[in-house]
Amino acid sequence: MRITVKDIAKLAGVTQPTVSKAMNNEPGVSEETRMRILKIAKELNYVPNLAAKRLATRQSDCIGLIWPRTEGLFYYHLCHAIQQEVTNRGLTFLVSVANPAVAVHTFNEHFVDRILFWESAVWRPDMAFLRAREAYQGELLLMGGADLEGAHRIEIDRQAGVYKAVRHLAEYGHRRISFIGHASDKLTGFMQGMVEFRMEHHPDYFIQREPSGKVPEQAVLELFGRAEGERPTALILDSQGVLFQVLKWLRRLRVAIPQEMSLIVYDDVPEMEELLDVPLTVVGPNIGRLAAAAVDILSGRREEAAEAEPNAGRADGPYVPACVRMVIEPDLVVRQSTRKILG
């Protein structure tokens, strides 16, 4: 039999509102009465009806995550870290793998009043999402580069991250380096470093991924096939996805890392220490710090987040707290896959 507030009130000789106040630590109940009610609830193994509470208050102690619509170890580790951060704060956690518009609608129906999700800078909300957003009564946090009026945002300065990678190679004496990836803010950081550190311009300084994400095999084989004095001494790969494609050619051609080629990968995930015989130097946002920042914002610990921008909210909707805009700069983690050029 399920124990209810009515049962506790009857045994304690008080009203049901008094029991609710005692359970929620609200004023209006003496300490003696509160302790008696809590003792009875404990003896009866009373479990609060969270669904009823959410229905009454239209709020929850829950954060919803829209699972990123992209593949990669980074997103797996990030989602796991977010779950840990949420749990450590005594909150609950729900994940939706649905389309963002459907996910927002579903979370709204279940009174999940805080949502975070990852979208790239090129993302633009469609009409279905905008309709779901208009009906949503809670807070949104976007990560990954996307922006939306009235939503919190954590941006990653990938340009600064790749610039750090180029600077590191320059400090190690490298003058011919190549970048394999998309034409993006990461490439901008690469080009900035190339200019500032006076790197040599060579035919293979940039190998662009195809729209599908595939790395052109012929271009990479030509790069590795150049004479020792003509080919790059270091590579920067813009993601773990590129790394997994390039690895097969590195192994096939028996290119020794870092003796013949220094290597830096954008994506700081644990697997980067184990994929090769030598741990890989990486650049990327610290996943633990990123997860903590996201949950800090959504759990109200704004003073630990970034500068908040005033937001008056929607005229026909509830008050929307000031939006937090945060920029996280990637860290460079130097391991054995990069070496100094002698001479």
Side-chain angles (χ1 to χ4, degrees), residues 164-190:
K164 286 182 180 180
V166 178
R167 182 178 62 194
H168 168 66
L169 293 171
E171 291 171 348
Y172 270 22
H174 293 271
R175 286 295 173 266
R176 291 192 310 277
I177 64 176
S178 290
F179 178 88
I180 302 179
H182 286 300
S184 65
D185 47 358
K186 296 175 187 176
L187 177 61
T188 302
F190 173 78

Side-chain angles (χ1 to χ4, degrees), residues 229-335:
E230 298 178 0
R231 73 181 181 187
T233 59
L235 282 178
I236 297 177
L237 309 182
D238 83 342
S239 68
Q240 58 184 285
V242 171
L243 172 66
F244 293 144
Q245 296 182 61
V246 172
L247 273 180
K248 60 184 177 182
W249 298 312
L250 290 173
R251 288 170 174 152
R252 183 194 308 168
L253 300 173
R254 298 182 179 179
V255 177
I257 306 293
Q259 292 84 358
E260 297 178 89
M261 185 82 68
S262 287
L263 183 62
I264 299 180
V265 183
Y266 187 98
D267 267 336
D268 184 7
V269 294
E271 288 78 4
M272 294 299 107
E273 292 193 75
E274 303 171 355
L275 282 172
L276 294 179
D277 294 336
V278 295
L280 292 171
T281 295
V282 296
V283 63
N286 180 279
I287 289 176
R289 182 156 53 94
L290 191 58
V295 180
D296 278 345
I297 292 171
L298 289 180
S299 62
R301 296 167 64 177
R302 308 280 164 73
E303 70 282 357
E304 299 179 22
E307 179 182 354
E309 295 181 353
N311 174 23
R314 292 169 292 180
D316 60 342
Y319 167 74
V320 179
C323 289
V324 174
R325 302 286 169 156
M326 174 185 287
V327 178
I328 289 184
E329 191 170 298
D331 297 328
L332 176 71
V333 182
V334 179
R335 301 193 182 106

Side-chain angles (χ1 to χ4, degrees), residues 129-169:
F129 182 89
L130 292 175
R131 284 194 293 268
R133 172 70 181 96
E134 184 66 25
Y136 183 61
Q137 301 298 306
E139 298 178 60
L140 294 176
L141 168 60
L142 274 70
M143 306 169 70
D147 198 5
L148 184 68
E149 183 180 357
H152 306 299
R153 183 177 187 235
I154 295 180
E155 179 184 0
I156 300 168
D157 191 350
R158 300 177 181 88
Q159 177 177 335
V162 175
Y163 174 84
K164 286 182 180 180
V166 178
R167 182 178 62 194
H168 168 66
L169 293 171

